[in-house]
Each structure stands twice: as C-alpha cells, then as structure tokens.
Amino acid sequence: MPKPPPTSDRRAELLLLAAALFAERGYKNTTVRDIADAAGILSGSLYHHFDSKETMADEILRTFLADLFREYRAIVEREGDPRRAFEQLVHASFQAIDNNHSAIALYQNEAKQLRQSARFAYLDDTDREFREIWLGTLEKGIASGAFRADLDATMAYRFVRDTVWVAVRWYVPGGKLTAEAVSAQYLSMILEGFQSREE
Amino acid sequence: MPKPPPTSDRRAELLLLAAALFAERGYKNTTVRDIADAAGILSGSLYHHFDSKETMADEILRTFLADLFREYRAIVEREGDPRRAFEQLVHASFQAIDNNHSAIALYQNEAKQLRQSARFAYLDDTDREFREIWLGTLEKGIASGAFRADLDATMAYRFVRDTVWVAVRWYVPGGKLTAEAVSAQYLSMILEGFQSREE
Amino acid sequence: MPKPPPTSDRRAELLLLAAALFAERGYKNTTVRDIADAAGILSGSLYHHFDSKETMADEILRTFLADLFREYRAIVEREGDPRRAFEQLVHASFQAIDNNHSAIALYQNEAKQLRQSARFAYLDDTDREFREIWLGTLEKGIASGAFRADLDATMAYRFVRDTVWVAVRWYVPGGKLTAEAVSAQYLSMILEGFQSREE
Amino acid sequence: MPKPPPTSDRRAELLLLAAALFAERGYKNTTVRDIADAAGILSGSLYHHFDSKETMADEILRTFLADLFREYRAIVEREGDPRRAFEQLVHASFQAIDNNHSAIALYQNEAKQLRQSARFAYLDDTDREFREIWLGTLEKGIASGAFRADLDATMAYRFVRDTVWVAVRWYVPGGKLTAEAVSAQYLSMILEGFQSREE
DNA sequence: CATGAATGAGTCTTCATTCAT
DNA sequence: GATGAATGAAGACTCATTCAT
C-alpha cells in the first residue's frame, strides 16, 4: 500500500478540485461540502488544509495570476516589436485558458464579487498591471504604424480583453480545438477584421 | 398626494429593483431581503407579488429576451443585405445593453447556473435561435462576399457574441459613452481589424 | 340577476367550505387562503366575516356539538329502556356522521390539539357530558340485565365511542352505504359479537 | 464520565424524541426546533442526522410498520386456526401500541395527510397488506364457522381495525392497564358482544 | 489527518392578520 | 363586502466553521 502523498501535494490536489467546482457551479453555489465530497473526505476535514473557503479561492487566483503575469512580463520585456508582442500576449492568454481553465473561469465569473472583500483587493492591482501591459502594447503598435492610427486604444483594449478571456466559457481544454488554433483564428479576426478586402 | 401606481406597475417596479441587485451582486448573493429592503418593504411582502426569488429572475429574463428577439427577428426579416443586417444586429445589441442593462448582466452572469434548473430550460432554445440569427447573417455575408471568404463562421459567431455581450460589464448606461458610439467603434474594429492597411 | 344572499347565509356558506377543508386537509394544513380561494374571494376578505381562523373552527364545532347533544339528551330523556336508548344513540351518531361529516372529522382529528387553547376548553365539558350519557346508558343496561354483567363499563364506553366516531374516516356521505345500514351492522356486531353461537 | 453512545444510537435517540413530539402535538404542529430543543441541540444540527423533517417521519413509520408486519405475517403463517389467529392479531396490535406508542399515534393521526406526498405512497401498500391479513383471517373464520355466518366481513374488518388502533389515543404505556388486559377485554367484547346471553 | 457532532448566523418561504381604499 | 398591499412572526433548511476524539 503506497503511502499517501506529502502534505503540499494534497493541498494542490484539493485546490484543483475546488477550482473545478468553483468554475463549474460558481463560488457561492459550491459548498465546502461539495469540495470535500469530491475529495472523498468530510467537510470539516478540509479545515486541516485551508482555514476557509475564501482561502481556497484566494490561493487559486493568486497562483494563476502569478503564472500569467510572469509570462506577460517576459513577453513585453523580451519582445520589442509591438505587433509580435501583441500576438504573443494573445497566444499566452489562450494557452493559459488551456492550462488553468478553472482558475480563469473563477476569475472571470467571480472576481467582481470577490473584489469587494478586502482580502481580494489585490485584484485591483492585477487589473491595473493587466491594463498597462495590453494598453501599452496597443499604443506602441499604433505609434509604430502596426495598428490603425484611428484605433481608440482604450476601446480596443477592452475589446481584446473581453474577447480573449470570455473564451473560457466555451473553450474545452483537451477538445478538438487546440489553444494554438483558437489563438491563430482570433488574431486573424482581430487584426484583419471580418470585411473582405476590396482591392 | 400622488396616487400610488396601479398594481401591475408595482410588480414592474420590484422587478427593476431585483434586476439591478441581481446584476450588481449576483443572483445567489442577492437575498430576498436585499430586494425587499430596496423596495422599502419586508421580505415576506415580496411574496405577495412573486412566488419565489426564481420567479423574479425568470420574469426579468423572459421580458428582456422577448424584447431582444422581437428586434433581432425584425432586423433579419427586414434587411436583405447581410452586412447591413450585421451592423444592425450589433447596434440593436448595444442599444439593449443600454436599455436593459441589469437583465443582460443577469443573463450574462447567471444563465449558466440557472439553465441547470428545469425552469430555465428555455434558455437553451434562446441560445439556439440566437445562434441561428447571428451565424446565419455571418454565413450570408461570407457567401455574398461582404465578409472574408476564409472566415470561420462559427468562430466568428462566438467572437462577436462574446465581444458584444461582455460589454455589459463595463458599459455604463447614461455615461459619457453612448450605445451609439460604442456600437460604431465596435463595428469598425470587428469589420476592419486592428491592422493598418498596408497599401 | 338575483341579489347575493343575506349576510348570515354567507357566513354559513363559508363555514361549510372551511369545515370541508379542515376535514380534508387538517386544520393546520388548511390556510386561510385555501378557504378564501374555495369561496372565490381574497384571504383578507374572510376577515369581514370571521375575526380569525380559530373562530371558524370554533363555530363549526359549537354548532355541530349543540346539534348532537340536543339529540343525545332527547334520547336519554325520552327512552327509558337502556338497550333501546343505546341503539338510538348509535343510530343518532351515524346519522350525525352523515349530516355533519366535516365537523365530525374536524372534531375527531383536531380536538386534541385545539383543546390545549383556552378558547376550546369547553371541549372538556363536552367530553364529560358525552361520557355521562354513554356510560350512564351502558351502566343502566348492565344493571337491567340487557348487557352482560361482566362487561367493564368504562372499557365498553371507550370501545363504542372510538368505534362509532372513527367511522367518519371511511364513511362517505351520500355513498352506497347509508347511515341506517351502517348503524344496523354496527349494532349487530357490538351487541351480538363476532362469535357464532354454539347452541 | 460515561462515553457518548455510538453514532447510530444518536439517530435512534433523536427519532424517539421526534416520534414522541409528533404523536403528542401532531406532525405539522411540531417544529424542527421543538425536536432539537428536546434533544438539547440547535435546530440546524438536526440536519446533520436527517435531511428533512419528512425523513424523520418516514423513518419512524417505516421502522414501526416493518416490525408490525413481521409479527403479523408470522402469526398468519404459523397459526392455522382463524379464531386463534384473530386473537393473536389483536394481541399483537395492542402489544404494538404498548411498544411503539408514538409511531402508531403518528400513523393514526397523520397517515392521511402524509400519504398525499409521493414519498409516503408506500402507505397504500401497507394498507393493502393490512387489509389482506385481517380480512383474510375474518373470512377464514366465517368459513370455518368460528365467526357468525351473517357477519359482513368487510364491515367487521373496518370495525376491528378502527377499534384496535384508535385505542392509541387513550392507552397509556406503562399505566395501570396492561396491553395484555386491554387485549383480553377487547377480544371478549368483540367476540361475545355486549348483549347478555338469554339462555 | 480525518471523523462526527454540533454551532450560529442566515436564507427562502409561509401564513394569519391588518388596513387604507 | 371586497381588494390589494403589506406586516411580523415563525418555520424548514443551508452552510461555513469549530472542536473533541
């Protein structure tokens, strides 16, 4: 009989279950007991690992955001060309949807409510940095001539942000459509538009 | 002393309050007492008008959806040109965000959970018709040459759908930005793309 | 268009409806609104006729009990022969089940609970008189040699009381079995017993 | 310091309390808090053991009915002589009133209402088997000449059924009158009748 | 680490009753 | 007499959390 895995693994395992449930049913609709049931333990036992339901959500979000921003920052630091930076941001985002599906769904669906609690105030910072990265890239692209000069950068930022992240609602990790493919399609639509070029 | 409004107005009034709260705090996070408080009555008194919290959400959604589809259908029936139909659909959608902000927020944020209950099964039909209208218009546009031949219609449909509706999260009815203006900007971005035309 | 009937008739009408519902669903399970619905009015409107739900039950019971005891007293006063008095009491009781079915059901099923409220304290007097009448008749019958000398009068009293009144649970007024017929059968069983006479 | 009883005992303990209250005050009149108070815990804590008030009633009834029918079946299978079978059925019934007083009171008083809910539909089966056992025994007794040939078996069945069970209303377990004694008295009355034998 | 029992605050809902119109 | 809106008290049930074992 193999020994149970060390503590920290168990935590991660539980967080994965929790994230999946939060994503699927919503944070409020997921009870601590749901999570415990999924883990095959009693609800009270969860409190040996986490001191509250909020803590679980917190940890899920922090982990995901740390990962995402590490990537984002690497991209904008490494990539001088705004158009290519943009493409890589989009790509990294869809990759994240693929890898951290539950966490992103949680973020998308619950951030607004969670943010109201002091504990999640850091989500405001997150938004700010998020905005800086994307908006900065778009503005550089406009300045460099890569993007249309008449583009309203703020509006474009919202547009892209929403478009990319909302995909978490329909994208199925491990499904037929790879993150790669979706990313390419999105870029093509966003960059070139729907309209056929009348030459 | 102004006369109190007739009966049915009271219902509508309460639904408006409920919708605003559902939109702001989420369905689950809004208590029946929150709604009653907002209306200045006791929570039990709400049950004089509605037989459950669910009924309120139901009525809010049905009313909004009926309105929206009336418009959508009128557009696709009236407008032969797919490009113009598309523009009008986008326009009507932003107009709806302006007029029915709370209901749309409720729909966007809670439909997934509500749909699980038999009572809201009709949301599946709604989705189907929604898809038919938008996808049909996009496909006609591709066929007519208005839209790029290499456009993946299904993907484009998702793209537009998400893009348009998610705007409910940041659009402020009665704010500086009119629905008209946002609609125009969106169309410009979607149709022409971000990329500057290299002529 | 005929005028609506005068007040007191309306009261009686409402009491009939209430009694039927109390009997069918139980007192606690019948809401004031159920009664109002049955009468085709709103629940608040009932309070023009009765000042409480309790009042309705009270009135139903009092009316029935007054009727019943009027008959009971007449029988024991009129009829000298205990055996014939007994038969007439049984008969009158089944007749009452036929005529006041709802009221008796209410009495049978709810008296125990209602009695706890001071308002229904008179039910204790009722029981006492009830007991005197039946037990008296049985004892006279034993003394006169009409009933078995070794009969435990108290036990016999309980036996008859229960036997007769519980019939309200299955007796259907206006059904195939008349009160007359049931009464005769009961008497035959009670008086002669199940056992075949081994002569 | 005595150890607290094992788990399943706690359930049984709570059911006993609940049954007593249901029997005493009626199902509807007994609040979940009443039960919890009687157990010295908070009302919400009851839900650790039972998932609803209905479940408690259900479990109480099922347990009692299973016990009773086990006995009934044993009697009719074992005892060939209808007269003796009849006596034993009566005896077992009064014994049950002694042992399961609360459950029987609950059954007597609330079955009619509970039966309306699908959850308690099995009570119809119970009634059917109940009827088969008693009616069968009576009919065999009539055929064998043990009971009067002119006895209306169906009516006699109702008569006995009601007579026996209604005793739950006045029989006090542990009182002066033993189940044994009551049973004997009842049998004497039912079998021989009130009437003195005119030899 | 986990169990099982319990807490306590809160949620939706019910319902008898009141009252201005 | 009746309506329609509301009250207020209570009821069943939920759930995050605690804690002795």
Side-chain angles (χ1 to χ4, degrees):
Chain A
M1 198 188 325
K3 252 196 171 179
T7 306
S8 59
D9 274 11
R10 186 69 171 137
R11 264 183 90 88
E13 214 177 293
L14 292 170
L15 282 177
L16 229 51
L17 290 170
L21 287 166
F22 289 155
E24 183 58 28
R25 312 184 183 179
Y27 177 72
K28 255 268 167 174
N29 283 314
T30 303
T31 72
V32 169
R33 226 184 105 185
D34 288 338
I35 301 169
D37 283 354
I41 57 178
L42 290 180
S43 69
S45 306
L46 268 182
Y47 287 81
H48 284 287
H49 302 278
F50 306 97
D51 46 72
S52 74
K53 184 182 173 186
E54 239 187 4
T55 299
M56 291 188 241
D58 193 14
E59 214 152 309
I60 293 164
L61 290 178
R62 280 183 193 278
T63 305
F64 146 64
L65 289 169
D67 284 0
L68 181 69
F69 277 97
R70 192 173 12 257
E71 281 224 55
Y72 273 10
R73 286 186 207 112
I75 290 168
V76 292
E77 275 160 26
R78 165 203 336 136
E79 187 56 66
D81 180 50
R83 156 88 189 228
R84 278 209 301 276
F86 181 77
E87 287 177 2
Q88 285 170 43
L89 285 174
V90 167
H91 188 68
S93 303
F94 280 107
Q95 215 56 261
I97 292 181
D98 202 34
N99 295 330
N100 292 304
H101 196 263
S102 301
I104 296 181
L106 178 61
Y107 183 71
Q108 271 290 297
N109 299 326
E110 316 288 351
K112 189 186 166 198
Q113 314 302 335
L114 294 176
R115 197 190 305 268
Q116 316 218 15
S117 138
R119 163 160 217 175
F120 291 94
Y122 65 87
L123 291 176
D124 291 337
D125 302 335
T126 301
D127 279 10
R128 204 167 313 115
E129 184 171 2
F130 199 96
R131 181 188 165 90
E132 274 162 23
I133 288 173
W134 282 93
L135 191 54
T137 303
L138 284 166
E139 281 168 345
K140 269 185 231 148
I142 293 170
S144 80
F147 301 139
R148 288 163 49 197
D150 65 338
L151 203 62
D152 177 328
T154 301
M155 191 76 87
Y157 157 64
R158 282 189 193 127
F159 180 78
V160 176
R161 176 195 59 188
D162 295 350
T163 306
V164 168
W165 293 117
V166 163
V168 80
R169 293 204 181 168
W170 57 262
Y171 181 78
V172 181
K176 264 181 283 196
L177 228 46
T178 64
E180 194 81 32
V182 174
S183 166
Q185 287 272 7
Y186 259 61
L187 277 170
S188 158
M189 289 190 287
I190 292 179
L191 293 172
E192 299 171 42
F194 284 12
Q195 207 165 234
S196 52
R197 306 268 159 150
E198 61 273 11
E199 286 147 290
Chain B
M1 192 191 330
K3 254 195 174 176
T7 304
S8 57
D9 276 9
R10 185 63 170 142
R11 262 183 91 86
E13 214 176 294
L14 293 170
L15 283 178
L16 229 53
L17 290 170
L21 287 166
F22 288 155
E24 183 58 28
R25 310 184 183 179
Y27 177 72
K28 255 267 167 173
N29 284 312
T30 303
T31 71
V32 166
R33 229 178 89 188
D34 289 338
I35 302 169
D37 282 354
I41 58 178
L42 290 177
S43 70
S45 305
L46 270 182
Y47 289 80
H48 183 62
H49 302 278
F50 307 97
D51 46 67
S52 73
K53 185 182 171 186
E54 236 187 7
T55 299
M56 293 189 235
D58 193 14
E59 215 154 306
I60 293 165
L61 289 178
R62 281 184 192 276
T63 305
F64 146 63
L65 289 169
D67 284 1
L68 181 69
F69 277 96
R70 192 174 11 256
E71 281 224 56
Y72 272 11
R73 287 188 206 111
I75 290 169
V76 290
E77 276 160 27
R78 165 203 337 135
E79 188 55 66
D81 181 50
R83 154 89 189 226
R84 279 208 301 275
F86 180 77
E87 288 177 1
Q88 286 170 41
L89 286 174
V90 168
H91 188 67
S93 304
F94 280 106
Q95 215 55 263
I97 292 180
D98 202 34
N99 295 330
N100 292 305
H101 195 264
S102 301
I104 295 180
L106 178 61
Y107 183 69
Q108 271 290 299
N109 298 327
E110 316 287 350
K112 188 187 166 198
Q113 314 302 335
L114 294 176
R115 196 191 305 269
Q116 320 232 20
S117 138
R119 164 159 215 177
F120 292 94
Y122 65 88
L123 290 176
D124 291 337
D125 302 334
T126 301
D127 279 9
R128 205 166 314 117
E129 184 169 3
F130 200 95
R131 182 188 165 88
E132 276 163 22
I133 288 173
W134 281 92
L135 192 52
T137 302
L138 285 167
E139 283 169 344
K140 269 186 230 146
I142 293 171
S144 80
F147 301 137
R148 289 163 48 196
D150 64 337
L151 204 61
D152 177 328
T154 300
M155 191 75 88
Y157 157 64
R158 284 191 192 123
F159 179 79
V160 176
R161 176 195 62 186
D162 295 350
T163 306
V164 167
W165 292 117
V166 169
V168 79
R169 294 204 180 167
W170 57 262
Y171 181 79
V172 182
K176 263 181 284 193
L177 228 44
T178 64
E180 195 82 33
V182 175
S183 166
Q185 287 271 7
Y186 259 60
L187 275 170
S188 157
M189 290 189 286
I190 291 176
L191 292 172
E192 299 172 42
F194 283 13
Q195 208 165 236
S196 51
R197 306 270 161 150
E198 61 274 11
E199 288 148 294
Chain C
M1 199 188 326
K3 252 195 171 180
T7 306
S8 61
D9 275 10
R10 186 68 170 138
R11 263 183 90 86
E13 212 177 294
L14 292 171
L15 282 178
L16 229 52
L17 290 171
L21 287 166
F22 288 155
E24 182 59 29
R25 311 183 184 180
Y27 177 72
K28 254 269 169 172
N29 284 312
T30 303
T31 71
V32 168
R33 226 185 104 185
D34 288 338
I35 302 169
D37 282 355
I41 58 178
L42 290 180
S43 70
S45 306
L46 267 184
Y47 287 80
H48 284 287
H49 302 278
F50 307 96
D51 46 72
S52 75
K53 184 183 173 185
E54 239 186 5
T55 299
M56 291 188 241
D58 193 14
E59 215 153 308
I60 292 164
L61 289 179
R62 280 184 193 276
T63 306
F64 146 64
L65 289 169
D67 285 1
L68 181 69
F69 277 96
R70 191 173 11 258
E71 282 222 58
Y72 272 10
R73 286 187 208 112
I75 290 169
V76 291
E77 277 160 27
R78 167 203 335 136
E79 187 54 67
D81 181 49
R83 154 90 190 226
R84 278 210 300 278
F86 180 76
E87 287 178 2
Q88 285 170 44
L89 286 174
V90 168
H91 188 68
S93 302
F94 281 107
Q95 214 56 262
I97 292 181
D98 202 35
N99 294 332
N100 290 305
H101 196 265
S102 301
I104 296 180
L106 177 61
Y107 183 69
Q108 270 289 298
N109 299 326
E110 317 287 351
K112 188 185 167 199
Q113 316 302 334
L114 294 176
R115 198 190 304 269
Q116 318 217 13
S117 138
R119 163 161 216 174
F120 291 94
Y122 66 87
L123 291 176
D124 291 338
D125 302 334
T126 301
D127 278 10
R128 204 167 314 116
E129 185 171 1
F130 200 95
R131 182 188 166 88
E132 276 161 24
I133 288 173
W134 282 92
L135 192 53
T137 303
L138 285 167
E139 283 170 344
K140 269 185 232 149
I142 292 170
S144 81
F147 300 139
R148 288 164 49 197
D150 65 335
L151 203 61
D152 177 329
T154 302
M155 191 76 86
Y157 157 63
R158 283 190 193 126
F159 180 77
V160 176
R161 176 194 61 188
D162 295 350
T163 306
V164 168
W165 293 117
V166 162
V168 78
R169 293 204 180 167
W170 56 262
Y171 181 78
V172 182
K176 265 181 281 194
L177 228 46
T178 64
E180 195 82 33
V182 175
S183 166
Q185 287 271 6
Y186 259 61
L187 277 170
S188 157
M189 289 189 286
I190 292 179
L191 294 172
E192 300 172 41
F194 283 12
Q195 209 165 234
S196 52
R197 306 267 158 153
E198 60 272 11
E199 286 148 294
Chain D
M1 190 190 331
K3 254 196 173 177
T7 305
S8 56
D9 278 8
R10 186 63 171 142
R11 262 182 91 88
E13 211 178 297
L14 293 170
L15 282 179
L16 229 51
L17 290 170
L21 288 166
F22 288 155
E24 184 58 30
R25 312 185 182 178
Y27 178 72
K28 256 267 167 173
N29 283 312
T30 303
T31 71
V32 167
R33 231 180 86 190
D34 289 338
I35 302 170
D37 282 355
I41 57 177
L42 290 177
S43 71
S45 305
L46 270 182
Y47 289 81
H48 182 61
H49 303 277
F50 306 97
D51 47 69
S52 73
K53 184 182 170 184
E54 237 187 6
T55 299
M56 293 188 237
D58 194 14
E59 216 153 306
I60 292 165
L61 290 178
R62 281 184 192 276
T63 305
F64 146 62
L65 289 169
D67 284 1
L68 181 68
F69 277 98
R70 193 175 7 256
E71 280 224 55
Y72 273 10
R73 286 186 208 113
I75 290 170
V76 292
E77 276 161 28
R78 167 202 336 136
E79 188 54 67
D81 180 50
R83 155 89 188 227
R84 279 208 301 275
F86 180 76
E87 287 177 1
Q88 286 171 42
L89 286 174
V90 168
H91 188 67
S93 303
F94 280 107
Q95 215 56 261
I97 293 182
D98 202 35
N99 296 330
N100 292 306
H101 196 264
S102 301
I104 296 181
L106 178 61
Y107 184 69
Q108 271 290 298
N109 300 326
E110 316 288 349
K112 188 187 166 198
Q113 314 302 334
L114 294 176
R115 198 190 304 269
Q116 320 231 18
S117 138
R119 164 160 214 175
F120 291 94
Y122 66 87
L123 291 176
D124 291 338
D125 301 334
T126 299
D127 280 10
R128 205 167 312 118
E129 185 170 2
F130 200 94
R131 182 188 165 89
E132 275 162 24
I133 287 173
W134 281 92
L135 193 52
T137 302
L138 285 167
E139 283 169 344
K140 269 186 232 147
I142 293 171
S144 81
F147 301 138
R148 289 163 46 197
D150 65 335
L151 204 61
D152 177 328
T154 302
M155 191 75 87
Y157 158 64
R158 282 189 193 127
F159 179 79
V160 177
R161 175 195 62 188
D162 295 351
T163 305
V164 169
W165 293 118
V166 169
V168 79
R169 293 204 181 169
W170 57 261
Y171 181 79
V172 182
K176 264 179 283 191
L177 231 42
T178 64
E180 195 82 32
V182 176
S183 167
Q185 288 272 6
Y186 259 60
L187 276 170
S188 157
M189 290 189 285
I190 292 178
L191 291 172
E192 300 172 40
F194 283 13
Q195 211 165 234
S196 53
R197 306 265 161 154
E198 61 274 9
E199 285 149 290

